[in-house]
Amino acid sequence: MNWQLALPEIFLSCSAMAILMYGVFARPERSFVMSSMLAVGALLLTAMLVLSGTPGVGYNGLFTVDAYSHFAKLLILVAVGLGVVMSLDYAEHANMQRFEFPILMLLAAVGMMLMVSATSLMTLYLGLELMSLSIYVLAAFARDERRSAEAGLKYFVLGALASGLLLYGVSLVYGFSGSMSFAEIGRAMADPKTASPGLTVGIVFIVAGLAFKVSAVPFHMWTPDVYEGAPTPVTAFMGTAPKVAAIVLLVRLLSDPFGALLGQWQQLIVLVSIASMALGSLAAIGQRNIKRLMAYSSIGHMGYALIGLAAGTGAGVRGVLIYMLTYVFMNAGTFACIIAMRRQGRNVEGVSDLSGLGRTDPAMALAIAIFMFSMAGIPPFSGFWGKYFIFTAAVQQGMWLLAVIGVLTSVIGAFYYIRIIKVMYFDEPAPAFDPRPASLSFVVGASGLFTTFFFLFPAPVVAAAEAAAKVLFR
Amino acid sequence: MIAQLAFYAFAAILLVSAGMVVSARNPVHSVLYLVLAFFNAAALFLLAGAEFLAMILVIVYVGAVAVLFLFVVMMLDINFAQLREGFQRYLPIGATIGVILLVELGIVLGGWSLAPQSAGLRAVPIDPNVTNTVQIGRVLYTDYILLFQASGLVLLVAMIGAIVLTLRDRTSSRHQSIAAQLARTPADTMELLDVPSGVGTKGIGFLRPKVKEPAKVAQDNHGHIGHDNHGGHH
């Protein structure tokens, strides 16, 4: 048996446990920063192991390594690394410097890596639960704050409901196809005409459970409350890596074993996508809290990403991967700016708190402006290219309606993104923010550079996404 | 013959104790009857040749779940008399629903038939030559080792989560610091005085303790072993 296939996952979980041991025995005043550093190191080494890994199927068909999982794993590791760096400074101010914080992030990363490599419904479920459970705890991490505890509890209860839906779907699919493995399920429904309707019902339930994790309408209700209540670095973390893992998993599941039933699930994804785009762009307009605004924005972004899945082609999947890549960097950068919004040691979250930032802190204002333009999909920033690849894939499949709705909702969405820029540059200045710590400047700078200059070097990313998409659409 | 006798004995005790679980007046007795029911069910599993399930039932249900129940029943201040107040009033409707469920179960089980090809779908057919513990171990630690370890990680996260969200060191608590206790010598705390006869305590005066209480550590350092110096102890 080829156990080395899962070497990155094994290494990451072992290092998480080693850091746990370190944290238990180290002096408490130093353990948080040191374990965060060790966690970043472990993530870097894991990324190298992922890069040096060879494709293959192992563990009795439960686990697959291919170009598609490579792409997703690297993106997840980068997103988790940014999340750990972002939490360094916040934890100090919010009095949540406990060494378990980075360890839970690492274990969540292990879960996400299992998810994107899953080729069996059981691996899928265990990876998903490992990720979700870690995030429930992280959301409630600021346990002395009522909002954080509320966010954790809300996410936990609704997440348990989503897991129930997912498991019900899994049991139906297992019952009607006779197997848990993706290859066997694919064989069982190779001919859509003889496929049992029970399978379709199972797919609907599985899609519902996963749509909850990517917060797509109509399973989005938890998103604004949890985003607002959770500690900001946790929100940043929730908004990036888990979304990538869940979308990548959904794409693999629907196009690999359920690929033959494209006609059955396509309408479902189109509906979810349109509803997410519409809600994401309309509901965000009235928001005054920037974390809630970002929650609605992420709902909208998931809607765009699902267009690529609905197209049901290799070009569509390539678009989804590129979109998620640009989304991770835009989101991480924006949240790093939100964490840096602090006056006299207290974090502020109102959109109006940004007023006049163009005069009090031009660098940060420029960074936020770049991220907002990029999210609105204005060229030449990376967000435009993500949308470009998605929409072209939809148009190639003749899904004009979906593409047109996508463009229309991004125009509506541009309104609230550009309103933030207007508040920063044209409103009367509010008191300046506290000096920005170096860790946040690093995240803002790195994601800002990527977002701005993506259009100069898109070729390697597009080629990698292309190779990844080829795995699913040979 | 003996196996049959044993089966009926265990089954009878199981049914009686299950009845006692719901009818006992004292909730602690209920939990103890539950333990008895678990043991008898485990014995039935043993008779059926499922020794792994039997052991798991004893270890998990008796060892953990029932003990947890017992703790909860003892810790929570529940007025069981009040809970049982409406029993007479709700008995007819409850009994009706129970009978309907029983009839439905009978109909479903009566019409139960296995598809002939379902035997071929079994992932791991039973091998009569090895015990089922060996067989489960073979499947669990070879084919499904990845899932087994992933479940372990899920449990680890649950444990970390429970500790990190609930454990807090109260600054008012008096921790025992074994290192400090061991480092204490009689010379630190005791003073031998020569008391002249007939003087009594009046002549010496009241004595303060020789050592001051160590300062309390007022920071959150749970899970942190050694080199702490909090807590007073006498």
Side-chain angles (χ1 to χ4, degrees):
Chain A
M1 191 176 76
N2 192 4
W3 66 272
Q4 283 112 330
L5 280 178
L7 195 61
E9 284 81 1
I10 295 172
F11 174 76
L12 195 57
S13 25
C14 288
S15 29
M17 286 183 260
I19 299 171
L20 186 66
M21 279 296 120
Y22 165 79
V24 168
F25 287 105
R27 286 184 169 276
E29 58 273 15
R30 266 201 334 217
S31 63
F32 174 74
V33 174
M34 266 310 283
S35 47
S36 298
M37 295 296 168
L38 289 172
V40 172
L43 288 169
L44 279 177
L45 285 174
T46 313
M48 280 176 205
L49 286 175
V50 169
L51 276 176
S52 64
T54 47
V57 183
Y59 293 96
N60 201 25
L62 296 168
F63 187 87
T64 299
V65 175
D66 49 26
Y68 184 70
S69 74
H70 270 175
F71 187 95
K73 279 182 194 174
L74 286 178
L75 187 52
I76 287 166
L77 288 170
V78 169
V80 175
L82 290 177
V84 174
V85 174
M86 269 191 269
S87 66
L88 272 176
D89 173 69
Y90 184 91
E92 198 179 311
H93 284 269
N95 194 22
M96 35 183 242
Q97 278 180 299
R98 275 165 288 157
F99 64 90
E100 290 93 341
F101 194 87
I103 291 165
L104 285 169
M105 282 189 167
L106 289 190
L107 289 171
V110 175
M112 293 181 235
M113 290 166 77
L114 279 178
M115 279 164 74
V116 298
S117 269
T119 41
S120 156
L121 293 173
M122 283 190 282
T123 325
L124 176 163
Y125 180 69
L126 277 173
L128 193 76
E129 281 306 303
L130 183 55
M131 174 194 89
S132 309
L133 203 59
S134 314
I135 299 175
Y136 302 147
V137 178
L138 285 173
F141 209 83
R143 55 189 186 179
D144 296 322
E145 264 190 56
R146 191 180 294 173
R147 283 198 314 169
S148 171
E150 181 199 326
L153 197 62
K154 212 173 241 176
Y155 194 27
F156 176 69
V157 172
L158 291 175
L161 182 73
S163 289
L165 289 179
L166 181 84
L167 273 183
Y168 186 50
V170 165
S171 70
L172 279 177
V173 168
Y174 176 60
F176 281 98
S177 68
S179 176
M180 290 273 191
S181 101
F182 284 9
E184 288 289 318
I185 296 173
R187 230 163 282 146
M189 51 177 81
D191 183 12
K193 286 194 191 69
T194 57
S196 149
L199 277 173
T200 317
V201 178
I203 294 173
V204 171
F205 275 105
I206 293 181
V207 169
L210 289 177
F212 175 88
K213 297 292 172 201
V214 299
S215 67
V217 179
F219 306 100
H220 65 284
M221 297 79 78
W222 58 276
T223 321
D225 291 349
V226 174
Y227 267 47
E228 189 190 355
T232 315
V234 177
T235 312
F237 179 69
M238 279 196 289
T240 51
K243 296 275 156 80
V244 176
I247 278 271
V248 164
L249 172 65
L250 189 61
V251 169
R252 189 199 282 274
L253 188 68
L254 288 185
S255 35
D256 187 13
F258 300 151
L261 295 184
L262 175 70
Q264 318 268 356
W265 54 257
Q266 198 171 30
Q267 301 152 334
L268 190 70
I269 298 292
V270 167
L271 268 180
V272 169
S273 158
I274 291 176
S276 305
M277 290 188 293
L279 186 109
S281 54
L282 293 175
I285 293 174
Q287 301 304 324
R288 296 282 168 268
N289 181 305
I290 195 157
K291 279 162 84 179
R292 282 188 90 82
L293 188 139
M294 289 302 293
Y296 284 106
S297 146
S298 83
I299 294 173
H301 282 297
M302 288 307 121
Y304 297 118
L306 288 177
I307 294 181
L309 172 58
T313 58
V317 173
R318 183 187 67 175
V320 173
L321 292 176
I322 297 173
Y323 196 90
M324 291 319 289
L325 179 78
T326 60
Y327 169 78
V328 161
F329 283 99
M330 294 187 296
N331 227 26
T334 313
F335 272 106
C337 292
I338 295 175
I339 298 172
M341 288 167 59
R342 185 184 298 137
R343 287 206 183 93
Q344 279 102 44
R346 280 192 61 240
N347 278 78
V348 288
E349 293 167 359
V351 173
S352 57
D353 289 310
L354 285 168
S355 51
L357 193 67
R359 269 171 276 176
T360 55
D361 190 348
M364 187 162 138
L366 178 68
I368 297 181
I370 288 173
F371 295 131
M372 291 302 133
F373 276 130
S374 176
M375 289 209 186
I378 290 165
F381 301 109
S382 65
F384 166 74
W385 297 102
K387 286 200 172 71
Y388 168 79
F389 284 109
I390 293 262
F391 289 152
T392 44
V395 168
Q396 275 166 9
Q397 285 306 103
M399 306 173 100
W400 282 98
L401 180 71
L402 201 54
V404 168
I405 293 178
V407 172
L408 280 181
T409 51
S410 29
V411 171
I412 301 172
F415 167 73
Y416 63 81
Y417 292 127
I418 292 175
R419 196 190 68 190
I420 293 181
I421 299 173
K422 174 241 161 199
V423 168
M424 286 194 304
Y425 283 99
F426 300 109
D427 282 9
E428 280 307 304
F433 292 131
D434 295 353
R436 210 171 33 251
S439 56
L440 292 179
S441 299
F442 165 75
V443 175
V444 173
S447 11
L449 285 178
F450 178 87
T451 308
T452 317
F453 295 112
F454 175 73
F455 73 100
L456 290 179
F457 318 97
V461 172
V462 175
E466 179 95 51
K470 272 221 179 77
V471 173
L472 299 182
F473 293 92
R474 280 172 289 267
Chain B
M1 182 63 195
I2 293 178
Q4 259 180 346
L5 274 180
F7 170 80
Y8 284 116
F10 287 131
I13 299 177
L14 173 63
L15 287 178
V16 170
S17 53
M20 289 306 284
V21 172
V22 287
S23 60
R25 287 212 166 271
N26 186 335
V28 177
H29 291 176
S30 285
V31 177
L32 292 176
Y33 278 116
L34 191 64
V35 171
L36 185 62
F38 282 144
F39 264 112
N40 283 284
L44 290 184
F45 273 129
L46 264 185
L47 286 179
E51 78 276 357
F52 183 74
L53 271 183
M55 289 306 125
I56 285 296
L57 197 71
V58 170
I59 295 169
V60 175
Y61 280 87
V62 178
V65 176
V67 171
L68 191 74
F69 279 180
L70 206 57
F71 271 122
V72 170
V73 165
M74 287 173 166
M75 249 165 40
L76 296 183
D77 184 24
I78 301 172
N79 190 346
F80 285 92
Q82 202 179 14
L83 277 181
R84 235 177 252 142
E85 221 165 68
F87 186 72
Q88 295 287 340
R89 204 147 47 91
Y90 298 122
L91 185 63
I93 181 133
T96 319
I97 290 176
V99 168
I100 292 174
L101 274 180
L102 199 67
V103 171
E104 281 177 347
L105 260 179
I107 293 171
V108 169
L109 291 179
W112 185 282
S113 69
L114 280 177
Q117 61 267 47
S118 65
L121 281 175
R122 282 182 305 196
V124 188
I126 294 170
D127 180 356
N129 300 322
V130 292
T131 63
N132 56 45
T133 312
V134 172
Q135 209 157 13
I136 290 173
R138 274 185 196 160
V139 177
L140 207 55
Y141 294 111
T142 54
D143 292 355
Y144 295 104
I145 180 74
L146 182 79
L147 302 181
F148 186 68
Q149 296 297 332
S151 325
L153 283 181
V154 171
L155 292 178
L156 177 69
V157 168
M159 196 176 81
I160 297 177
I163 292 175
V164 83
L165 291 182
T166 57
L167 181 72
R168 47 184 90 215
D169 280 355
R170 283 171 304 147
T171 48
S172 60
S173 74
R174 300 200 145 216
H175 285 268
Q176 184 182 25
S177 169
I178 295 170
Q181 285 179 337
L182 292 178
R184 239 163 109 120
T185 57
D188 288 342
T189 47
M190 281 201 299
E191 212 172 345
L192 292 176
L193 299 174
D194 287 327
V195 185
S197 59
V199 175
T201 49
K202 256 186 192 161
I204 311 169
F206 287 104
L207 287 171
R208 298 258 137 233
K210 196 177 169 190
V211 251
K212 262 178 35 184
E213 283 215 9
K216 279 169 193 141
V217 179
Q219 72 192 132
D220 185 11
N221 55 353
H222 67 260
H224 153 224
I225 297 167
H227 45 71
D228 47 358
N229 57 343
H230 49 181
H233 19 69
H234 297 277

